[in-house]
């Protein structure tokens, strides 16, 4: 058997080899080990991304309580935006962490830009916010014009916004610069007037769209632009989940901005500090950890929705899964969420095909309160449709609207239903949470 010897347990390598064998172009090489078999691969189905993150953090805390190091733990994820809920859970548990090869969620450039727009809506005299977004995305306001703006503000001893109002009237700047400044003033005033009656998450969604930030990053090529778009969409999810304190004098937007500033102010662990490692699967190549979590094992997330329709890109996603699995030396835990707030709305994705490609006897499903349970090697029987729901039945969903039931599978709490919605396309839903109404 040709292949590279690896320090991971045999169970982990068997799982990795089983997944990668589904890539038809792969040569018949397998990693192997002469080490012990190891325990089964844990699989946890979270109710949502918050439950998933809390489970991971609880497992890490148990690891620490056993006398092990935080730096021995790594949380891997396909999309950069997934780190937000994981970071929140680690911060609440006071467990130091480090985003390997990247920045924490609220430190990311596109997030700081979006928050600066939101701060400017609340307070035009926020000079730092104004300087951050006056030419972001680019709108023809160059550094020379910004320097003139600063100088005018210093001379008049007033905030930048007041100087901006004066200069956009053509005082001391070129006609072209005055026009660009005027368009920026109009943008901020329009954003403000259009956002006053919106909820917090609607305001966030409107700001990142109307400011041009979302379109600017959509036009970036490659994974980096896509990651920035996903981060901005995750910011909408963060504001949608935010629960303001009604007893506070400050409104929801101010409270959220204060909370985000606190999170951004939390110091990331130093490079040599004993800290949990967070990273994308792309960043994990070449690294190994005794305890590894791969979070977000769901269709449309991993494999990513952009890759599913293209065999070449799907094969690359599978190679990425192989890399992720083989990062684990002792323990591997796969997690997914039955409901995940993505791009500002709730999604019900099926568990990743990569989970199904691992032999069932290698996986132990974790049920809270009862420990790990082996998954039956025999496939689950199809769910018995409810009396009012059957294949071909027309149904109504509160978010996705009307559609037709095309498939049912699984049983009990993990029963799933596939519905072709008239306006939203095909979606897999967890039956017990879908709350479908028969038509």
């Amino acid at each position: 058997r040709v292949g590279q010897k690896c320090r991971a347990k045999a169970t982990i390598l068997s799982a990795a080899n089983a997944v990668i064998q589904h890539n038809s172009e792969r040569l018949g090489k397998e990693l192997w080990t002469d080490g012990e078999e190891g325990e089964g691969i844990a699989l946890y189905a979270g109710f949502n991304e918050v439950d998933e993150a809390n489970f991971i953090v609880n497992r890490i805390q148990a690891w620490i309580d056993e006398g092990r190091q935080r730096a021995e733990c790594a949380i891997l994820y396909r999309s950069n935006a997934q780190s937000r809920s994981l970071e929140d859970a680690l911060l609440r548990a006071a467990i130091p962490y480090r985003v390997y090869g990247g920045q924490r969620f609220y430190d990311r450039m596109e997030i700081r830009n979006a928050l600066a727009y939101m701060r400017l809506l609340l307070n035009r005299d926020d000079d730092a916010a104004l300087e951050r977004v006056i030419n972001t995305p680019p709108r023809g306001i160059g550094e020379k014009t910004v320097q003139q703006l600063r100088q005018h503000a210093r001379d008049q001893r007033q905030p930048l916004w007041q100087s901006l109002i004066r200069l956009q009237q053509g005082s001391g700047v070129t006609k072209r610069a005055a026009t660009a400044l005027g368009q920026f003033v109009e943008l901020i005033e329009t954003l403000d007037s259009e956002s006053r009656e919106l909820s917090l998450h609607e305001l966030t969604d409107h700001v990142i769209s109307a400011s041009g930030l979302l379109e600017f990053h959509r036009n970036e090529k490659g994974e980096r632009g896509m990651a920035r778009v996903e981060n901005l969409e995750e910011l909408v999810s963060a504001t949608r989940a935010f629960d303001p304190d009604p007893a506070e004098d400050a409104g929801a937007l101010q409270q959220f901005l204060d909370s985000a500033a606190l999170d951004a102010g939390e110091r990331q662990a130093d490079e040599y500090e004993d800290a949990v490692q967070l990273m994308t699967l792309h960043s994990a190549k070449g690294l190994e950890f005794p305890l590894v979590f791969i979070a977000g094992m769901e269709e449309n997330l991993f494999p990513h929705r952009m890759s599913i329709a293209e065999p070449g890109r799907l094969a690359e996603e599978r190679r990425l899964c192989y890399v992720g699995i083989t990062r684990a030396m002792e323990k591997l835990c796969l997690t997914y969420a039955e409901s995940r707030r993505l791009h500002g709305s709730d999604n019900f994705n099926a568990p990743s095909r990569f989970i199904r490609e691992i032999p069932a006897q290698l996986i132990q499903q974790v049920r809270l309160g009862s420990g790990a349970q082996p998954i039956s090697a025999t496939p689950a029987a199809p769910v018995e449709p409810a009396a009012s729901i059957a294949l071909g039945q027309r149904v109504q969903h509160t978010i996705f609207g009307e559609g037709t039931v095309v498939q049912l599978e699984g049983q009990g709490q993990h029963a799933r239903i596939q519905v072709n919605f008239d306006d939203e396309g095909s979606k897999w839903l967890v039956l017990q949470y879908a709350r479908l109404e028969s038509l």
Side-chain angles (χ1 to χ4, degrees):
R1 182 167 52 181
V2 180
Q4 180 184 356
K5 183 177 175 182
C6 183
R7 291 187 291 171
K9 304 291 186 183
T11 299
I12 293 169
L13 295 189
S14 296
N17 290 328
V19 168
I20 202 64
Q21 283 171 4
H22 286 78
N23 275 359
S24 56
E25 82 285 2
R26 179 168 173 85
L27 299 174
K29 294 183 179 180
E30 289 189 2
L31 287 178
W32 62 278
T33 179
D34 55 8
E36 59 188 79
E37 191 71 17
E39 61 186 71
I41 295 165
L43 174 65
Y44 180 71
F47 170 68
N48 56 26
E49 71 275 12
V50 176
D51 180 34
E52 176 190 46
N54 288 337
F55 167 78
I56 290 172
V57 169
N58 288 338
R59 278 289 174 110
I60 290 172
Q61 187 60 60
W63 179 270
I64 297 167
D65 292 344
E66 291 172 1
R68 303 295 297 263
Q69 298 295 303
R70 291 186 287 264
E72 294 177 323
C73 308
I75 310 174
L76 314 182
Y77 36 83
R78 173 61 179 85
S79 170
N80 205 28
Q82 287 173 254
S83 79
R84 185 191 63 83
S85 55
L86 296 164
E87 289 183 53
D88 283 352
L90 287 163
L91 283 170
R92 284 195 303 272
I95 296 177
Y97 70 90
R98 181 174 179 79
V99 180
Y100 180 86
Q103 294 171 306
R104 298 171 63 230
F105 183 79
Y106 287 106
D107 290 335
R108 292 168 191 165
M109 177 195 73
E110 59 277 15
I111 299 302
R112 294 172 68 186
N113 291 341
L115 294 178
Y117 273 106
M118 294 159 72
R119 283 162 45 202
L120 205 52
L121 295 189
L122 273 182
N123 178 17
R124 301 292 195 278
D125 295 343
D126 189 329
D127 287 353
L130 189 149
E131 283 210 44
R132 185 166 190 92
V133 299
I134 192 170
N135 198 41
T136 305
R139 53 176 60 89
I141 301 175
E143 182 57 32
K144 182 180 177 180
T145 303
V146 174
Q147 286 176 357
Q148 289 176 295
L149 181 61
R150 292 192 196 107
Q151 188 61 52
H152 187 277
R154 280 195 294 268
D155 292 345
Q156 301 299 317
R157 297 183 179 180
Q158 63 187 18
L160 290 174
W161 181 262
Q162 298 302 318
S163 292
L164 180 59
I165 298 296
R166 181 70 181 273
L167 292 186
Q168 59 105 18
Q169 296 168 350
S171 175
V173 295
T174 66
K175 184 176 180 180
R176 183 178 178 183
T179 300
L181 291 173
Q183 290 172 343
F184 178 67
V185 170
E186 184 180 0
L187 169 67
I188 298 302
E189 298 290 8
T190 303
L191 278 176
D192 188 12
S193 63
E194 291 176 345
S195 301
R196 287 177 185 170
E197 302 303 318
L198 299 179
S199 64
L200 179 58
H201 78 273
E202 289 172 334
L203 179 149
T204 308
D205 190 35
H206 183 59
V207 165
I208 66 174
S209 298
S211 66
L213 283 176
L214 203 60
E215 189 63 26
F216 176 67
H217 291 305
R218 277 187 176 140
N219 290 332
E220 282 188 74
K221 294 181 180 179
E223 287 271 344
R224 186 171 68 172
M226 184 169 64
R228 285 179 171 159
V229 168
E230 289 176 344
N231 282 329
L232 287 171
E233 291 172 334
E234 181 63 20
L235 182 62
V236 179
S237 294
T239 52
R240 190 170 186 174
F242 184 72
D243 187 17
D245 185 351
E248 289 276 341
D249 292 333
L253 177 56
Q254 183 66 66
Q255 289 187 49
F256 177 77
L257 291 173
D258 290 344
S259 173
L262 283 174
D263 284 348
E266 289 280 347
R267 184 180 61 83
Q268 181 169 216
D270 293 330
E271 186 176 354
Y272 301 107
E273 189 175 344
D274 182 27
V276 175
Q277 305 294 304
L278 273 65
M279 66 192 73
T280 63
L281 284 149
H282 283 102
S283 301
K285 293 177 182 177
L287 304 174
E288 288 185 318
F289 302 90
L291 174 60
V292 168
F293 299 87
I294 304 180
M297 295 287 291
E298 299 144 38
E299 291 290 297
N300 298 316
L301 188 56
F302 189 41
H304 196 276
R305 67 185 188 279
M306 300 292 286
S307 69
I308 288 177
E310 300 180 33
R313 294 182 68 176
L314 181 58
E316 177 57 33
E317 294 284 293
R318 189 173 280 110
R319 283 191 288 273
L320 210 50
C321 184
Y322 176 81
V323 167
I325 292 173
T326 54
R327 298 312 89 196
M329 297 162 60
E330 296 178 28
K331 293 186 178 183
L332 173 65
C333 184
L334 311 177
T335 65
Y336 65 94
E338 294 175 335
S339 167
R340 184 179 298 274
R341 195 159 280 171
L342 283 172
H343 325 306
S345 60
D346 291 324
N347 287 255
F348 302 88
N349 293 320
S352 172
R353 68 191 67 195
F354 301 147
I355 295 173
R356 300 193 297 272
E357 291 171 0
I358 298 173
Q361 64 269 22
L362 301 181
I363 294 179
Q364 292 184 319
Q365 187 144 358
V366 177
R367 305 192 193 283
L368 292 184
S370 59
Q373 303 291 329
I375 290 181
S376 170
T378 57
V383 67
E384 288 297 325
S388 58
I389 297 181
L391 293 178
Q393 172 75 43
R394 294 285 293 173
V395 293
Q396 169 87 30
H397 187 273
T398 54
I399 297 174
F400 305 132
E402 295 184 10
T404 303
V405 177
V406 295
Q407 196 169 346
L408 295 134
E409 71 172 38
Q411 58 186 359
Q413 64 174 335
H414 296 293
R416 299 187 301 124
I417 184 170
Q418 186 182 19
V419 181
N420 279 346
F421 290 102
D422 299 344
D423 298 325
E424 299 288 339
S426 178
K427 292 187 180 292
W428 278 98
L429 308 175
V430 179
L431 195 55
Q432 67 171 333
Y433 304 127
R435 297 176 184 173
L436 294 171
E437 179 183 344
S438 297
L439 297 177

